[in-house]
Amino acid sequence: MSVVSFIVIAIAFGISAMLLMRRCTEEVPVALSAGLLISLTLAVVHAAIFCLGILVGNGLRFSLPDGSSTPFWRQNAFSFLGMAVFVAVKMLWPYMGKRTRPMAFDLNAGTLRVLLFTVATGINGFLLGIGVGFVALLSDQLHAALWPLFTAIFLFSYLGIMYGRQRVKLRPRRWMAVAAVMLLFVAIAAVVNA
């Protein structure tokens, strides 16, 4: 995968983090200094979980006994596409119905609960990381996977905290649809290039 693909994935997850933090701080505001620390924690945990997912995907990818996956590029790319579709639908689902509403978490609940919150909200990154692991080796592209995601989640989540404190109106369904399309675009590009 190219660095551009990892940047697009990072922006998509950054948008998701922005919507999540806006929703949480709109319900229960947090101080900006605490929000900075929460955003940093969220970025570190989500980037680590994403890289862990890539590592798991590397173990699951189709390859020959000697480790070469060249004959299975297309199968690995379709596995990535399947995971990307699943994650995109999972991200969009809470925003699609009038009765469904994404959950909001109390970010003032204490350090342990905030840490558990960051782990629980990183499941989409883990699942997509498994898909990415089918088409990219973590040992070859660790920095390309880690730093764009860390930076995007940190900046976008802190922006979401500021939006939530100010009760800035966003159109979450549109933003999440954009994020889902970005993920699908990267996966389709991987299939086309396979």
Side-chain angles (χ1 to χ4, degrees), residues 1 5 73-82 135 183-194:
M1 279 180 57
S5 297
W73 277 348
R74 186 164 290 281
Q75 289 86 347
N76 287 327
F78 275 112
S79 299
F80 174 39
L81 178 62
V135 295
L183 293 180
L184 293 175
F185 175 76
V186 170
I188 291 169
V191 170
V192 169
N193 293 330

Side-chain angles (χ1 to χ4, degrees), residues 7 10-11 14 17 37 56 69 83 93 112 115 125 133 140 163 168 172 175:
I7 291 172
I11 292 171
L37 189 58
V56 171
S69 63
M83 290 301 286
W93 188 260
L112 181 61
L115 190 58
D140 294 340
Y163 282 165
V168 173
W175 280 102

Side-chain angles (χ1 to χ4, degrees), residues 86-127:
F86 178 76
V87 170
V89 170
K90 187 176 177 300
M91 288 169 66
L92 266 175
W93 188 260
Y95 294 93
M96 296 314 293
K98 292 189 176 184
R99 293 187 180 187
T100 57
R101 186 163 189 255
M103 292 183 65
F105 300 90
D106 182 5
L107 299 179
N108 292 317
T111 307
L112 181 61
R113 287 192 181 179
V114 169
L115 190 58
L116 292 174
F117 153 77
T118 60
V119 172
T121 56
I123 189 68
N124 288 337
F126 178 73
L127 293 174

Side-chain angles (χ1 to χ4, degrees), residues 15-191:
I15 290 170
S16 177
M18 177 183 71
L19 295 175
L20 172 68
M21 289 304 201
R22 185 188 88 46
R23 190 169 61 249
C24 292
T25 53
E26 188 176 41
E27 298 285 332
V28 182
V30 296
L32 285 177
S33 56
L36 189 65
L37 189 58
I38 291 168
S39 294
L40 182 63
T41 305
L42 186 77
V44 168
V45 171
H46 280 208
I49 288 175
F50 181 68
C51 289
L52 179 64
I54 295 174
L55 195 60
V56 171
N58 288 163
L60 296 174
R61 71 191 296 185
F62 301 103
S63 61
L64 295 174
D66 65 355
S68 172
S69 63
T70 306
F72 301 104
W73 277 348
R74 186 164 290 281
Q75 289 86 347
N76 287 327
F78 275 112
S79 299
F80 174 39
L81 178 62
M83 290 301 286
V85 168
F86 178 76
V87 170
V89 170
K90 187 176 177 300
M91 288 169 66
L92 266 175
W93 188 260
Y95 294 93
M96 296 314 293
K98 292 189 176 184
R99 293 187 180 187
T100 57
R101 186 163 189 255
M103 292 183 65
F105 300 90
D106 182 5
L107 299 179
N108 292 317
T111 307
L112 181 61
R113 287 192 181 179
V114 169
L115 190 58
L116 292 174
F117 153 77
T118 60
V119 172
T121 56
I123 189 68
N124 288 337
F126 178 73
L127 293 174
L128 190 74
I130 292 174
V132 169
F134 279 92
V135 295
L137 287 173
L138 184 63
S139 57
D140 294 340
Q141 297 187 305
L142 174 64
H143 294 291
L146 181 67
W147 297 116
L149 189 70
F150 171 80
T151 306
I153 289 180
F154 177 65
L155 295 176
F156 276 87
S157 63
Y158 194 60
L159 184 65
I161 287 173
M162 290 189 284
Y163 282 165
R165 284 171 47 91
Q166 298 290 325
R167 298 191 181 277
V168 173
K169 294 295 180 189
L170 295 176
R171 296 181 185 266
R173 186 178 298 169
R174 286 187 188 173
W175 280 102
M176 194 55 79
V178 167
V181 167
M182 291 171 81
L183 293 180
L184 293 175
F185 175 76
V186 170
I188 291 169
V191 170

